[in-house]
Amino acid sequence: MSDRPDLTAHLDEATPFAAASTLPYALPDFAAVRPEHYLPAFEAGMAEHRAQVAAITADPEPATEENTLVALERAGRLLTRVALEFFNRTSAHTSPELDAVEAEVAPRLAAHRDAIYLDPALAARLDALDARVSAGEVVLGPDAAWLLHTLRKDVRRAGVALPEEAKAELRELNGRITTLETSFGQALLAETNDAALLVTDEAELEGLAPESVAAARAAAAGRGHETGWLLELQLYSQQPALAALRRRDVRERLHLASVTRGLRGGEHDTRALLLELARLRARRARLLGYAHHAAYVAVDGTARTTEAVNAMLGRLAPAAVANARKEAAALEQALRAEEPGATLEAWDWSLYAERVRQERFALDDALLRPYLELERVLRDGVFFAAERLYGLTFARREDLHGYHPDVRVYEVFDADSSGLGLFLVDFYQRESKHRGAWMNEIVAQNRLLGERPVIMNNHNIPKPPAGEPTLLTWDEVETLFHEFGHALHGLLSDVRFPSQSGTEVPRDFVEFPSQVNEIWALDPEVLGRYAVHHETGEPMPAEWVEKLVVSQLWGEGFKTTEYLAAAILDQAWHQRTEDELPRDVAEVEAFEQRALEEAGIAFAPVPPRYRSTYFQHIFAGGYSAGYYGYIWSEVLDADTVEWFRENGGLRRENGDAFRRLLLSRGGSMDVMDAFRELRGRDPEIGPLLTRRGLDAPAD
């Protein structure tokens, strides 16, 4: 490959992206990167990549693994380097300058991908290699054979066989779709920041824990408010403060601030963006030969068809809503004990769910939080479980830095004490950060280029005042374990090709390992280490632990219903043709309501986890028509949890097997074959139904 074009020379040698980072594990030198560095690096990276692919397709030698597959995997390294660093930064610590770069580069990246995947010369080269394999002239190993299969499928799905006129339309659609997705994400962040609820009378915060009140005051000060308390919004509909605020009018204001995001008019309204996105995705799917966008997505996952997706969602929805209604009856009874004749509303749910939970189990978040201190949960919970299962150890690297002072860097060591990679974590919420929690790769593990993984977890935990401990809710504890499950998928990857590394698996499979990792939050050995009072050092009382375990089924009606409602909304937007979708922003709410009613999951006290106007996953986050993947993956997850239990739980032998048979393989093979090797059979849905309380009436 040394004779192939290297256009990095177009970059100033002083530019941080001109060469791979010399820091440990090729960690980007974040401090050296300025906004003006990105666009030239993207431009040089795209030019280099196109030239390298052109050289591969023009090679007069017969197609081989080395001159085709390996060459393609080696191509575009500058572009990969800048893109992974840039999009991690824009999601976690953006700025007007970065937003402007993203808006400019997003459609150009879509055009760049089209230039490669719609090139008939590349398709011909891959077909020629496939023909040589079929004729016995070339023998590929399993990972290379799967790579060839994947590449040929991807260029076909991209539209390489379309006539030129259709390709031109497709290029235009792809560019516009990418632009709209970028605009949606940027508008939603601005809208979420703008919709935060400012409280000017501290009495209105009655019920909030002192540390939460202090965090709200710090948030207000951070936004420039000399007085007041700012209740910042998380991405999802139900806000954490709703579980504690006693003033019903304040709860209503907070809830409405959350669920009306993107619906309020003004410059950050997202309705026009999502309507155009849905229509253009539908048009693109038709152009590519699919009935709708959801069909296009499903065929590339493990579900294969929207019929399979609809069958699962349809099977679960009635039982979930029935359980939610039974939960609602208990909550309304508790509400009326305080406010006779009141009707349960969505803004009442979290508070009275906590009340009923406390009555039934003598347990609530206010009692648990002092025992769930962030540093202890991370060190003696998340990291400890990884050590017991996989032999991993973690050392803080104070000499290495992220893109923001809140970012921590840990070096990860394997069981033999060899350096495995880096784990970066960014815990706290801020105005420049998109809401939610997620994992990013900054460097993807692969043996071909000798790269070891650099993996990032992002969270949105309210930051306490300086010097105060960060006390977590139970949901936040589970999220730490969940996102670290994604991190393990990247850290424990052991593949040859970069494009098969870690989480490069079908979208409806990617949540499987992360959901499995959640089980260790409640494992007695793990919980016993981290659930310790942050002041006294006393362990969480044993009876509380028992009640915490027992109480997990309480509230599953709500959790399953709000999730399924969001998954059904996603399918509703994406299982329509262009003509079947609304065109006027005034129709968005009616479309939503009709979709929920038709699915039998419209239940006002339990709104969807995300309404359309702030559904970042599907309109900006890569999950379009794929949000069902969480519950689809949970079938595998719940079944695998049974496997762990059958084999003794938190044992190194189990971790080694899960690592060897599943985590290490990434996307180097059919992922369902990997699951079958682990489990010895196809997945069964029974464990999921039991976990979610869908196999028996709710109490």
Side-chain angles (χ1 to χ4, degrees):
M1 292 295 293
S2 60
D3 59 333
R4 293 209 163 102
D6 180 3
L7 299 184
T8 55
H10 290 186
L11 287 178
D12 186 320
E13 290 184 2
T15 300
F17 296 111
S21 170
T22 58
L23 291 174
Y25 301 91
L27 176 72
D29 186 358
F30 293 107
V33 180
R34 299 191 302 274
E36 61 267 26
H37 290 145
Y38 287 111
L39 190 56
F42 270 119
E43 290 173 339
M46 287 186 282
E48 176 193 75
H49 193 203
R50 286 194 299 270
Q52 290 169 334
V53 173
I56 293 167
T57 60
D59 190 339
E61 293 296 317
T64 65
E65 178 178 344
E66 186 66 29
N67 70 20
T68 302
L69 299 180
V70 170
L72 286 168
E73 289 289 301
R74 291 183 180 277
R77 302 317 298 164
L78 168 60
L79 181 59
T80 297
R81 208 160 53 236
V82 64
L84 290 177
E85 199 276 356
F86 177 76
F87 288 109
N88 180 74
R89 192 180 294 227
T90 56
S91 65
H93 189 42
T94 193
S95 67
E97 294 82 4
L98 294 181
D99 285 348
V101 173
E102 186 176 17
E104 179 171 353
V105 81
R108 294 172 68 175
L109 286 171
H112 172 72
R113 187 181 188 280
D114 286 344
I116 291 174
Y117 281 83
L118 297 182
D119 181 3
L122 176 60
R125 184 78 180 182
L126 295 171
D127 288 344
L129 178 56
D130 184 65
R132 297 193 72 208
V133 171
S134 297
E137 298 172 19
V138 172
V139 178
L140 300 178
D143 59 344
W146 189 250
L147 177 60
L148 177 59
H149 162 78
T150 302
L151 285 170
R152 293 183 71 230
K153 177 194 68 176
D154 288 348
V155 297
R156 290 195 302 271
R157 282 173 53 76
V160 72
L162 292 174
E164 283 305 316
E165 183 178 346
K167 282 185 182 178
E169 181 181 356
L170 186 61
R171 292 185 184 98
E172 185 178 345
L173 286 171
N174 286 338
R176 181 61 181 162
I177 287 169
T178 303
T179 296
L180 290 167
E181 289 169 344
T182 301
S183 297
F184 186 96
Q186 293 180 354
L188 177 57
L189 176 58
E191 173 77 343
T192 299
N193 286 329
D194 188 56
L197 181 65
L198 182 66
V199 173
T200 56
D201 182 356
E202 188 173 3
E204 292 188 320
L205 299 180
E206 181 187 1
L208 278 190
E211 59 269 15
S212 298
V213 174
R217 175 65 207 119
R223 297 274 202 98
H225 299 287
E226 293 184 4
T227 61
W229 296 261
L230 193 69
L231 300 178
E232 296 188 286
L233 300 182
Q234 297 289 353
L235 184 58
Y236 36 75
S237 297
Q238 286 288 75
Q239 299 301 309
L242 292 172
L245 289 167
R246 293 177 186 167
R247 287 273 298 269
R248 199 178 190 208
D249 61 323
V250 180
R251 294 200 307 273
E252 181 178 7
R253 283 158 48 201
L254 179 59
H255 178 76
L256 292 178
S258 176
V259 299
T260 59
R261 280 174 289 169
L263 288 166
R264 304 182 303 162
E267 61 179 320
H268 307 315
D269 194 296
T270 59
R271 287 174 292 182
L273 295 171
L274 74 88
L275 285 176
E276 188 179 356
L277 261 173
R279 289 199 306 273
L280 295 186
R281 286 170 176 168
R283 187 185 307 174
R284 181 176 61 184
R286 176 190 53 76
L287 192 64
L288 292 169
Y290 294 86
H292 40 62
H293 179 68
Y296 173 77
V297 170
V299 76
D300 196 40
T302 62
R304 302 302 185 207
T305 68
T306 52
E307 288 77 15
V309 174
N310 292 341
M312 167 167 278
L313 298 179
R315 176 177 181 179
L316 299 178
V321 174
N323 283 1
R325 290 184 183 279
K326 290 173 182 176
E327 291 168 4
L331 304 192
E332 191 162 76
Q333 184 177 359
L335 168 65
R336 288 178 175 174
E338 295 182 356
E339 300 193 33
T343 299
L344 184 75
E345 302 286 356
W347 50 86
D348 298 316
W349 191 288
S350 293
L351 178 70
Y352 288 96
E354 279 295 293
R355 293 275 179 86
V356 172
R357 184 181 177 207
Q358 188 171 15
E359 289 171 6
R360 293 188 178 191
F361 307 107
L363 208 60
D364 65 13
D365 270 338
L367 286 174
L368 297 177
R369 281 168 64 95
Y371 294 86
L372 302 175
E373 190 267 328
L374 173 62
E375 305 302 327
R376 193 81 186 230
V377 174
L378 179 68
R379 183 185 68 243
D380 295 335
V382 174
F383 287 171
F384 171 73
E387 180 179 3
R388 286 299 309 272
L389 285 167
Y390 310 111
L392 306 183
T393 53
F394 302 82
R396 182 82 179 266
R397 291 290 301 263
E398 300 280 1
D399 58 320
L400 300 177
H401 307 284
Y403 46 81
H404 186 278
D406 285 343
V407 177
R408 307 181 188 185
V409 181
Y410 293 87
E411 187 168 9
V412 185
F413 297 93
D414 213 337
D416 62 2
S417 299
S418 62
L420 183 67
L422 294 179
F423 171 62
L424 283 68
V425 61
D426 184 356
F427 286 117
Y428 295 115
Q429 185 179 86
R430 55 181 169 267
E431 194 173 0
S432 61
K433 191 179 195 179
H434 287 264
R435 299 303 188 262
W438 64 92
M439 168 268 201
N440 285 122
E441 286 178 333
I442 297 175
V443 179
Q445 177 278 328
N446 67 93
R447 296 194 301 274
L448 180 67
L449 304 173
E451 293 176 326
R452 290 178 291 176
V454 178
I455 304 298
M456 181 89 217
N457 273 177
N458 265 285
H459 297 270
N460 265 279
I461 299 167
K463 191 173 186 178
E468 295 295 319
T470 303
L471 305 181
L472 305 177
T473 66
W474 182 251
D475 281 348
E476 288 167 340
V477 170
E478 289 186 319
T479 300
L480 254 65
F481 278 87
H482 176 97
E483 295 304 330
F484 194 71
H486 285 305
L488 288 170
H489 206 175
L491 289 166
L492 299 180
S493 175
D494 185 15
V495 300
R496 180 163 56 128
F497 297 121
S499 68
Q500 297 177 336
S501 182
T503 55
E504 292 295 329
V505 295
R507 178 63 72 185
D508 59 8
F509 188 88
V510 73
E511 298 298 333
F512 162 44
S514 58
Q515 290 172 168
V516 168
N517 203 59
E518 291 179 35
I519 66 170
W520 308 119
L522 273 173
D523 182 86
E525 185 178 359
V526 181
L527 184 68
R529 290 179 63 92
Y530 73 77
V532 173
H533 197 284
H534 73 101
E535 291 179 334
T536 68
E538 292 295 314
M540 184 181 288
E543 61 270 24
W544 290 14
V545 173
E546 292 174 12
K547 290 171 181 176
L548 180 60
V549 173
V550 172
S551 72
Q552 290 304 291
L553 196 57
W554 166 249
E556 278 298 338
F558 171 86
K559 293 176 187 176
T560 308
T561 299
E562 69 153 6
Y563 164 76
L564 290 175
I568 286 165
L569 278 183
D570 177 23
Q571 293 299 313
W573 284 112
H574 293 116
Q575 287 191 29
R576 301 289 191 279
T577 66
E578 188 179 1
D579 292 338
E580 293 170 338
L581 287 163
R583 292 182 175 274
D584 193 312
V585 295
E587 300 176 62
V588 168
E589 289 183 274
F591 179 88
E592 262 193 357
Q593 186 63 24
R594 188 163 57 251
L596 297 175
E597 288 172 354
E598 289 174 356
I601 204 164
F603 184 40
V606 184
R609 186 167 177 81
Y610 308 103
R611 294 190 67 187
S612 306
T613 50
Y614 50 93
F615 207 160
Q616 180 173 288
H617 286 74
I618 69 169
F619 290 119
Y623 275 78
S624 62
Y627 195 65
Y628 77 89
Y630 284 89
I631 200 86
W632 191 270
S633 293
E634 197 176 348
V635 174
L636 310 180
D637 150 37
D639 204 356
T640 301
V641 168
E642 290 300 305
W643 174 84
F644 270 106
R645 288 173 178 156
E646 291 165 4
N647 289 280
L650 191 76
R651 298 172 61 239
R652 179 67 182 280
E653 294 85 350
N654 292 337
D656 284 347
F658 192 57
R659 175 180 183 171
R660 183 181 71 257
L661 296 175
L662 202 134
L663 294 177
S664 68
R665 288 168 154 179
S668 64
M669 62 182 296
D670 185 321
V671 292
M672 291 307 297
D673 285 344
F675 175 86
R676 293 181 190 102
E677 282 193 53
L678 175 76
R679 198 66 176 102
R681 55 166 173 74
D682 285 332
E684 295 178 353
I685 198 172
L688 169 67
L689 299 178
T690 300
R691 173 192 289 182
R692 291 268 181 173
L694 301 178
D695 58 348
D699 293 328

